Amino acid sequence: MTTRIDAKFAALKAEGRKAFVSYIMAGDPEYDTSLAIVKGLPGAGVDVIELGLPFTDPMADGPTIQLAGQRALEAGMTLDRTLDLARAFRETDNTTPIVLMGYYNPIYSRGVDTFLAQAKEAGIDGLIVVDLPPEEDSELCIPAQAAGLNFIRLATPTTDDKRLPRVLQNTSGFVYYVSITGITGAAEAEAGDVGPEVARIKSATDLPIIVGFGINTPEKSRAIASVADGAVVGSAIVSKIGAGDSVDSVLEFVKSLADGAHTA
C-alpha cells in the first residue's frame, strides 16, 4: 500500500526538491484558529503536516510545545477533537499527508485497534509516537503498518551504528533525524554537524531523512535541507501561535521557512 507520505516523497524526488514539514499542536490556541492554520499550511508551501496530539505529560518537548499542549487542553482539545480537525482538513485537501505526533498513553487508553481504525478514517497517514522504542513494536508500530499507516521513527545523535538497524527495522514513510540532544526548541541545528549523520543513516536505509529540532529561520531551513531530504520546523511556528500572531502572520512565517527548504 502506498500512503500519501510515500506518494509525496516520490513526487518531491522526481522534481528534485527538498521537503518542508511543519508541526503545530492540534487545537492551539483553540480549535477554530488551529483548523484555519492547518488548512493554510499547504498553500504556504508545507509538504507534510505534523499534527501534535495534546498530552498532559510531554516529556520530550521543551517549554514552547508543552505550553501549546496546555493551551489546547484548556481549550477543550481531546483525541476525538484532534481527529475531527483532521477530518475537517480532509474535506478540502485529500493529498497533503498528515502525521499525528504524540505519546502512547492516549492511544493505549483508546485501544490500539479502535484508534487505528479511527485515525485511518479521519485521514491520518502516519504516526510518530516518541515514547515507544523499537522493543515495543508489537504494541503499535506493526499494527499501524498493517492498517496502512506509516510508523515514523526518530534517530538522534546518540543513535550509534549498533542501535541504528533496530531503529530502522520497522520504520516507514521517512526517518526523522533529531539534530540535537535534548528537548525541542533548546538549541540550534548546525548543518556541519547534521550532514555526516544524515549520510551515515542514508547508508543504512532508502527512506528519506528529514531533520528537525533547532530550525527557526529560513536560512537555517535552507542550510539543513541542503544536507538532508528536508527540514521540519515546530517550536518556531508554535511560538508565533503562542504569541497571538494572526493566522495570516503565522502562515507568512511558515511560507518563509518553506521557501528556505525548497531553495536548498
Side-chain angles (χ1 to χ4, degrees):
M1 180 182 295
T2 300
T3 66
R4 291 185 187 93
I5 297 169
D6 300 328
K8 173 59 74 173
F9 279 107
L12 287 167
K13 185 175 182 180
E15 296 165 9
R17 295 203 317 145
K18 300 301 179 74
F20 180 70
V21 182
S22 69
Y23 170 97
I24 75 159
M25 180 67 71
D28 175 34
E30 34 68 32
Y31 182 91
D32 291 340
T33 302
S34 181
L35 177 59
I37 293 170
V38 173
K39 283 187 170 184
L41 291 176
V46 172
D47 297 299
V48 179
I49 297 169
E50 283 183 7
L51 193 60
L53 177 60
F55 182 53
T56 50
D57 299 279
M59 294 177 294
D61 294 305
T64 301
I65 304 293
Q66 285 189 23
L67 288 169
Q70 287 178 18
R71 289 192 297 267
L73 291 169
E74 287 167 4
M77 208 60 184
T78 61
L79 173 55
D80 285 334
R81 292 282 279 162
T82 300
L83 296 178
D84 285 343
L85 192 149
R87 288 187 193 95
F89 175 81
R90 285 281 171 241
E91 290 174 5
T92 55
D93 187 316
N94 198 39
T95 56
T96 305
I98 299 177
V99 176
L100 193 64
M101 184 172 186
Y103 296 82
Y104 186 44
N105 189 287
I107 298 170
Y108 176 78
S109 298
R110 175 61 48 96
V112 167
D113 292 343
T114 300
F115 165 77
L116 290 174
Q118 292 174 341
K120 183 74 174 172
E121 179 272 327
I124 301 297
D125 303 292
L127 303 174
I128 299 175
V129 182
V130 296
D131 54 348
L132 272 184
E135 286 74 16
E136 307 296 337
D137 274 358
S138 60
E139 283 278 329
L140 180 62
C141 172
I142 292 170
Q145 311 246 45
L149 296 169
N150 290 123
F151 197 89
I152 296 144
R153 191 85 68 191
L154 304 182
T156 76
T158 60
T159 306
D160 60 20
D161 290 338
K162 182 179 179 182
R163 180 65 173 168
L164 185 59
R166 190 69 181 266
V167 169
L168 296 174
Q169 186 173 9
N170 292 313
T171 299
S172 66
F174 62 91
V175 177
Y176 186 134
Y177 179 69
V178 177
S179 65
I180 58 172
T181 54
I183 55 176
T184 57
E188 292 201 5
E190 298 297 337
D193 299 328
V194 169
E197 288 297 295
V198 170
R200 180 172 69 92
I201 297 168
K202 273 190 167 298
S203 70
T205 181
D206 293 329
L207 291 170
I209 315 297
I210 308 301
V211 177
F213 284 49
I215 304 169
N216 49 24
T217 65
E219 295 74 24
K220 188 71 72 173
S221 181
R222 182 183 301 112
I224 294 299
S226 72
V227 297
D229 295 304
V232 186
V233 179
S235 293
I237 298 169
V238 170
S239 67
K240 298 277 187 187
I241 297 170
D245 285 24
S246 68
V247 172
D248 287 346
S249 176
V250 171
L251 293 174
E252 187 177 331
F253 178 60
V254 171
K255 185 179 186 305
S256 73
L257 297 165
D259 289 348
H262 290 150
T263 54

